[in-house]
Amino acid sequence: MTDISSIAEFSEDLANAKPPAPLPAKDYVAEVRFAEVAPSKKGKRMLTLTFHVPVDAYPSDYQDGNPDGTNLKHYTIVEDTPSGRWNARRIVEALSGTLGRSLDPNSLIGHKARLTVEHEEFEGVMQHKAGRVTKIV
């Protein structure tokens, strides 16, 4: 078992720390690593997918990325309403999943799709976020 100290040590002085550059905004082939259906903050049924963008997909000039790849969460409301069913169909088709009367989120793990990475400002810092999910063509 690894003994973890209660004191965090860093290789550089925190006074010199700067926000990392976000993953460049563009399309990436990403794989679903985690999927679940759970209530949203407003109580609606929401499908949460965690997409993994591998390091070898990073642009060659991108230096601030996680050396293990980047995980991005994508959220889709999948209520039993016309718009919710349409949202579910679009995401399942984009992942080449199986359509039917139910959606097992675990069946989407390991599937790949084209993920559009976008940028947004959060607390004054630009960050990457998952955008549109489309089928790999």
Side-chain angles (χ1 to χ4, degrees), residues 41-63:
K41 290 179 184 175
K42 294 183 179 180
K44 296 188 179 218
R45 185 181 316 232
M46 181 171 63
L47 172 66
T48 301
L49 300 173
T50 300
F51 283 93
H52 180 77
V53 177
V55 172
D56 62 2
Y58 291 172
S60 60
D61 61 345
Y62 180 57
Q63 303 299 318

Side-chain angles (χ1 to χ4, degrees), residues 8-135:
E9 296 287 337
F10 300 97
S11 60
E12 297 180 18
D13 189 319
L14 293 180
N16 299 325
K18 295 182 176 143
L23 185 64
K26 66 178 212 136
D27 289 350
Y28 297 87
V29 173
E31 178 182 325
V32 175
R33 293 278 177 94
F34 175 80
E36 79 172 343
V37 173
S40 71
K41 290 179 184 175
K42 294 183 179 180
K44 296 188 179 218
R45 185 181 316 232
M46 181 171 63
L47 172 66
T48 301
L49 300 173
T50 300
F51 283 93
H52 180 77
V53 177
V55 172
D56 62 2
Y58 291 172
S60 60
D61 61 345
Y62 180 57
Q63 303 299 318
D64 289 351
N66 184 326
D68 296 325
T70 299
N71 290 326
L72 298 152
K73 291 194 182 283
H74 184 273
Y75 306 96
T76 305
I77 297 298
V78 292
E79 290 280 288
D80 189 14
T81 63
S83 63
R85 290 187 297 272
W86 175 247
N87 290 340
R89 176 183 175 178
R90 284 183 33 234
I91 199 77
V92 171
E93 285 182 336
L95 289 163
S96 299
T98 303
L99 296 172
R101 293 180 65 109
S102 63
L103 170 58
D104 177 0
N106 293 313
S107 70
L108 301 175
I109 294 173
H111 286 245
K112 293 181 180 179
R114 184 169 313 284
L115 177 68
T116 301
V117 171
E118 302 171 345
H119 290 170
E120 69 179 355
E121 187 176 322
F122 179 73
E123 296 182 352
V125 176
M126 291 305 289
Q127 296 184 343
H128 48 246
K129 72 173 196 167
R132 188 172 173 201
V133 177
T134 54
K135 191 169 191 143

